[in-house]
Amino acid sequence: MERKQIHELIEKYRKMSDQEPVYGEEKCAYLDRIAGQIEESFDEYLDDFYETEEDIIDSINEQFADADNFYDFDEEE
């Protein structure tokens, strides 16, 4: 994706994350997390592999799933 498009995605998800009455607290936290991940990995998403918003979101969801599974453990063990 182009630099401008990625900036617009970040802006889009930040705006959506501020709409708690519409999306709810949990969804807003998720949307904010997406915006943060896009900012953090901005240069990675400039790669031609990421042609659409869906490509980026799929990649982020995969990263979140990996990270969340890594920290998902039984505290009683």
Side-chain angles (χ1 to χ4, degrees), residues 71-77:
Y71 291 107
D72 186 26
F73 58 90
D74 188 354
E75 291 185 24
E76 293 181 19
E77 290 185 57

Side-chain angles (χ1 to χ4, degrees), residues 31-43:
L31 295 168
D32 188 58
R33 189 176 176 198
I34 287 177
Q37 184 63 38
I38 295 171
E39 285 178 324
E40 187 175 305
S41 302
F42 190 94
D43 290 338

Side-chain angles (χ1 to χ4, degrees), residues 7-64:
H7 279 295
E8 289 170 352
L9 268 184
I10 294 167
E11 204 173 293
K12 172 185 173 179
Y13 282 89
R14 287 281 184 224
K15 285 181 183 178
M16 288 170 47
S17 74
D18 287 336
Q19 297 180 27
E20 193 172 318
V22 175
Y23 297 109
E25 183 178 348
E26 195 171 313
K27 179 78 174 195
C28 285
Y30 166 74
L31 295 168
D32 188 58
R33 189 176 176 198
I34 287 177
Q37 184 63 38
I38 295 171
E39 285 178 324
E40 187 175 305
S41 302
F42 190 94
D43 290 338
E44 178 182 333
Y45 299 124
L46 290 171
D47 189 301
D48 289 340
F49 178 77
Y50 301 99
E51 295 178 3
T52 66
E53 176 179 348
E54 185 177 351
D55 292 339
I56 291 175
I57 300 305
D58 287 347
S59 169
I60 289 172
N61 283 329
E62 191 174 299
Q63 291 173 32
F64 287 173

